[in-house]
Amino acid sequence: MTTRTAIVDTAVDADTSRLVELFKDLHRHPELGFAETRTSGIVARELAGLGFAVKTGIGRTGVAAMLRNGAGPTVMYRADMDALPVAEDTGLDYASTVQVAGQDGTPSPVAHVCGHDAHVTWMLGMAKVLAGATDAWSGTAVLVGQPAEELIAGAQAMVDNGLYDVVPKPDHLVGMHTAPGPVGMVAAGGGPMMAGSDQMDIVFRGVGGHGSMPQLAKDPVVMAALAVVEFQTIVSRMIPPHETAVLTVGSVQAGSAHNVIPDRALLKVNLRWFEPHVRERLIDGIRAVCDGIARTYGMPEDQLPQVRLTGGSTPLVNDANLCARLAAALGKAIGPDRVLTNLPPVTASEDCQLLKGPYPEIPLAYLFVGVADPQVYSEALAAGKLFPYSPHSPDYRVDLAAVPFGTKVAGQVMLELLGR
């Protein structure tokens, strides 16, 4: 009898050259959130060619595909598709050189520096494994190509746009993400894994004027600058030391000339938290700081700063039983010493869990897959670093050996949950 591991390994080994070229193509052609038209087209075409029933345009650029194979459980597997507005600096011969017009019309670089190109490749490779091994499993595989994870908006957009009108409620939800650990390692731990997150736009309104006569203006640049500094006391002085909170100002935008005081300034703020009361304290503290500064500089009550939440997600909590099951199955396939189950939670965030939509009881397993060259990883450790590079950095890279490895992990996971 052919083992599940042999089925997956044989299929992926035979498909590795194609998958590597697919990965390189996706890497060369990154697309930002809700603009993944080329990527989603590739996902839809590949899955349709394997016999999946495909629905496109869910949540603008999202894709959902189903392969029914008799009675059994329904397992949803999600791969996010979007890239980031970062200039790649890896030196790879397939590095991204893509630029798109930013909000102000100026060119902005785009690159896959978080590994979503690998996520898509893994899913498409796993889909081929399932399509070619229907005698080894039964049930329904639901594969989701999700847009705009980096915006923390794509999963909710798909749910709001009728995801569950076209796919059934899954018995399990699975996602995987690249990690800058060595190729060959997988983390499959239960419990809280990633923080909740909120994206926030804050507009300070003022009175514009000539840079030579600031006394005649009400300067929103100064207000915004003071807010950035005062925000730092919210975590340090308003949140108990034993509770986790992160507040980051990622963008300050105001004006366009040296000698003109603008009439508004924009701050883009990101929050991370694990407990809902911490989130509320962060938001209340931000509003209080902004309103206090604006009042100090003479802004009337109807011109106080506008604070708008533009996206967010809850903390990602893995189902302990599901992760233990998958960790055991993966341990048999790749060796138990290569499967980590006791990782502490991190303050990075995800929106994969929001794909549960109206079914919060769906068990989730969100796994991390090592993608760094083991030698590079070892050298980084020897130099006193935690990792050789971090996600979202210009030098983030997925070693090509991680393409077949991640595909095999995805295949093993799906056959464990759907296997006969």
Side-chain angles (χ1 to χ4, degrees):
M1 180 178 178
T2 305
T3 67
R4 189 174 299 155
T5 299
I7 291 171
V8 173
D9 287 354
T10 300
V12 176
D13 287 345
D15 198 29
T16 292
S17 295
R18 182 188 73 93
L19 291 173
V20 167
E21 291 308 310
L22 174 61
F23 167 76
K24 289 181 178 180
D25 178 71
L26 293 169
H27 190 85
R28 289 190 190 99
H29 299 95
E31 297 170 302
L32 296 176
F34 292 127
E36 310 95 337
T37 54
R38 183 181 186 275
T39 305
S40 63
I42 291 171
V43 170
R45 183 185 71 242
E46 292 286 328
L47 294 179
L50 292 170
F52 283 75
V54 177
K55 176 69 174 178
T56 61
I58 307 173
R60 295 167 63 175
T61 49
V63 180
M66 281 191 301
L67 186 62
R68 298 184 185 275
N69 188 36
T74 296
V75 180
M76 179 181 286
Y77 182 101
R78 172 271 209 169
D80 41 4
M81 304 183 293
D82 57 325
L84 285 156
V86 174
E88 181 173 351
D89 188 26
T90 60
L92 297 168
D93 59 6
Y94 53 91
S96 170
T97 58
V98 170
Q99 292 195 337
V100 299
Q103 292 181 344
D104 60 357
T106 59
S108 172
V110 184
H112 274 298
V113 291
C114 198
H116 296 190
D117 45 354
H119 302 173
V120 172
T121 305
W122 293 341
M123 182 175 73
L124 296 180
M126 173 267 290
K128 189 170 183 179
V129 173
L130 293 182
T134 52
D135 58 343
W137 64 278
S138 60
T140 301
V142 176
L143 307 189
V144 174
Q146 184 207 301
E149 183 278 330
E150 298 295 356
L151 303 178
I152 309 294
Q156 192 63 52
M158 291 191 75
V159 171
D160 292 344
N161 195 216
L163 174 65
Y164 286 107
D165 294 335
V166 297
V167 302
K169 173 189 174 183
D171 296 291
H172 305 290
L173 171 61
V174 176
M176 302 199 327
H177 202 293
T178 65
V183 175
M185 300 296 292
V186 179
M193 293 299 294
M194 304 181 81
S197 178
D198 288 281
Q199 314 277 47
M200 182 181 291
D201 284 357
I202 303 171
V203 177
F204 280 87
R205 290 173 284 190
V207 176
H210 199 292
S212 67
M213 294 177 284
Q215 75 279 9
L216 301 180
K218 297 184 188 298
D219 194 338
V221 177
V222 173
M223 297 183 216
L226 287 171
V228 171
V229 175
E230 289 194 27
F231 286 164
Q232 311 312 308
T233 65
I234 295 175
V235 173
S236 67
R237 292 297 179 267
M238 299 182 186
I239 306 298
H242 65 278
E243 295 187 306
T244 300
V246 180
L247 191 164
T248 297
V249 179
S251 176
V252 181
Q253 302 174 20
S256 58
H258 295 81
N259 63 344
V260 177
I261 294 172
D263 64 357
R264 62 188 55 224
L266 169 66
L267 300 179
K268 289 185 174 290
V269 178
N270 179 254
L271 310 179
R272 308 291 169 128
W273 47 274
F274 286 96
E275 299 295 336
H277 68 272
V278 172
R279 174 183 184 265
E280 294 305 316
R281 191 69 189 92
L282 288 169
I283 294 173
D284 290 345
I286 286 170
R287 292 185 188 277
V289 165
C290 293
D291 289 351
I293 290 171
R295 289 188 179 110
T296 297
Y297 280 81
M299 297 305 297
E301 292 298 307
D302 64 349
Q303 293 291 305
L304 294 180
Q306 297 173 324
V307 179
R308 184 169 66 94
L309 293 169
T310 61
S313 70
T314 56
L316 187 149
V317 181
N318 270 344
D319 183 84
N321 291 331
L322 178 58
C323 286
R325 176 182 173 184
L326 295 181
L330 289 170
K332 293 177 182 177
I334 65 175
D337 58 327
R338 292 186 169 190
V339 182
L340 307 178
T341 58
N342 294 312
L343 287 183
V346 297
T347 50
S349 297
E350 251 290 349
D351 69 349
C352 177
Q353 66 275 21
L354 298 186
L355 286 175
K356 296 180 182 183
Y359 309 112
E361 69 276 12
I362 297 171
L364 167 67
Y366 191 82
L367 312 182
F368 293 92
V369 179
V371 297
D373 180 304
Q375 180 62 35
V376 172
Y377 178 78
S378 296
E379 291 171 356
L381 290 186
K385 300 178 181 179
L386 285 175
F387 304 105
Y389 34 72
S390 63
H392 295 204
S393 64
D395 59 343
Y396 191 77
R397 66 172 66 191
V398 173
D399 189 76
L400 294 181
V403 173
F405 176 72
T407 305
K408 290 178 181 180
V409 172
Q412 293 289 348
V413 165
M414 293 297 282
L415 286 186
E416 167 63 24
L417 298 178
L418 291 166
R420 288 177 173 149

